[in-house]
Amino acid sequence: MKRIYLDNNATTPVHPEVLEVMLPFYRDFFGNPSSVHWAGREVSGAIEKAREQVAALINAAPAEIVFISCGSEGDNHAIKGTAEALRDKGNHIITTTVEHPAVLETCKGLEKKGFNITYLPVDRDGMLNLAELEKAITDQTILISVMWANNETGNIYPINEIGAIAAKYGIRFHTDAVQAVGKLPVDVQKAGVHLLVLSGHKIGAPKGVGALYIKRGTRLTPLLDGGHQERGRRAGTHNVAGIVGLGKACELAGEHLVENAAHMRRLRDKLEQGILDAVPDNKLNGHPDRDRRLPNSLNISFAYIEGESLLLNLDMYGIAASSGSACTSGSLEPSHVMGAMCVEVSLAHSSTRFSLGAETTEEDIDFVLEVLPATVQRLRDMSPLYDCKKTEPCEMCETVKRI
Amino acid sequence: MYSDKVMDHFTNPRNVGEIENADGVGEVGNASCGDIMKIFLKVDENVITDVKFKTFGCGAAIATSSMVTEMAIGKTIEEALALTNQAVSEALDGLPAQKMHCSNLAADALHEAIKNYRGKSA
């Protein structure tokens, strides 16, 4: 069976060149980079090279890069570390309703500890109103946390503008850039961010490694207490091979950024237009302007059917995608991002995300366009919400029809 | 995550559709929880002779709907009322734990259809 992987916002395959540079650090170079002897010296240089590679991708200084284990760690560190370090300055944090759970749950935890959190709403396209953001700022505000791009819709937020607002009021600015790095040009200086999180496995490095950018002079309480690694900013023995892989992945991402983005964009647009044309009663989730979304992301709901059953059907064809349905989230609620965008609940349950990668081919997209319409139709023929003119009108069908 | 039986009923669902002039129709669930099941019955001398379903929902919802139609056909009304959601999931070799409360409603839909039938025939 063909295997078509369209879930690159969840994770990406490890790039062969990345794996290649990692292997010696499993086979031969086992030292602890904090050690002074030959074994340590053999690896400490590789860590510093990786730090330069990561810094170069986001226009930071190497000393501003701290290696971490994952995106969630970075978001926790940035938000909790700021809350603690700036507690004497205020207790108010501004974020959005569409953040990743790593940000939302961290903020909810801080609420229980006496912090006030403003969760900015989004419009039906999933976009923020920056005037509202500015209005939310008080003399107690210590942090603004807004993701660079949304993992579900691909929506890109106006980070440079938000950075300018933060600078105007002298407020610290954190961005979860896990989905943006490698797909968009990311420049921490132009954006005016103080804290930025990126994750290795979204850009062709392995799982278990990421980086937190901490702008020089940003006071941040560490998340982990322990050794003096990472200049006291993050204790714990380095994940040497992972860090080396992250460095290489960042180098490759920088080298191929423009061509990869153009490739994914062309195929994403083809997929998007193909689905919009071939499957009736659909709803695009996210900004309708394709320039305002990541070049690889498409999120679309198919009325009258549920997302998990569609994913299972696509999986039988070897197509891997993901859904905002409750059934795939492990909770009873569909995606909070769809909820924040006021997507009607049965459409939220049917929201389906296709996220392309640099390896996605034209044939992959053609195959999806070949099998998707009939697959959707098959499930619709089974659905009591579909074509319910025949039976008594139900309120639910009427709601769905109004899309 | 799903058993082979669940996947079989999901891939080749039995008795999909509607029955015109059904003797009983039952519906459970709602779109906000992501599952709606509708069951149509044909009853002859207290025996269920035909059952069809339409379902909006996940793999488990579709598989349990399909299974309950197979289990109910040929049963008396009383026997069908004794069918439980638990029995349906067991017939499918079990469902993942998180599906037990949200998508395991097929017997409830059947019972609703029987209630509707009894209301009509009373």
Side-chain angles (χ1 to χ4, degrees), chain A residues 353-368:
Chain A
R353 179 185 74 187
F354 300 95
S355 49
L356 287 64
E359 294 83 11
T360 306
T361 65
E362 186 103 35
E363 291 74 44
D364 291 345
I365 299 306
D366 289 340
F367 185 66
V368 175

Side-chain angles (χ1 to χ4, degrees), chain A residues 304 306 308-309 349 378 382, chain B residues 2 11 32 55 57-59 99:
Chain A
Y304 322 118
E306 190 276 337
E308 191 216 54
S309 51
H349 279 293
R378 181 177 164 274
M382 238 186 264
Chain B
Y2 285 132
T11 323
S32 66
T55 290
C58 64
K99 299 286 182 187

Side-chain angles (χ1 to χ4, degrees), chain A residues 334-366:
Chain A
S335 142
H336 71 281
V337 176
M338 295 302 129
M341 292 162 61
C342 286
V343 174
E344 193 276 322
V345 71
S346 75
L347 289 171
H349 279 293
S350 92
S351 68
T352 306
R353 179 185 74 187
F354 300 95
S355 49
L356 287 64
E359 294 83 11
T360 306
T361 65
E362 186 103 35
E363 291 74 44
D364 291 345
I365 299 306
D366 289 340

Side-chain angles (χ1 to χ4, degrees), chain A residues 240-277:
Chain A
V240 177
I243 289 168
V244 168
L246 175 65
K248 185 69 184 177
C250 285
E251 182 191 303
L252 292 169
E255 265 173 38
H256 302 286
L257 185 70
V258 174
E259 65 182 270
N260 283 348
H263 170 77
M264 296 189 293
R265 170 69 191 256
R266 186 178 70 78
L267 293 180
R268 189 279 308 271
D269 289 357
K270 178 177 179 173
L271 180 66
E272 182 169 326
Q273 200 54 52
I275 294 175
L276 292 174
D277 291 345

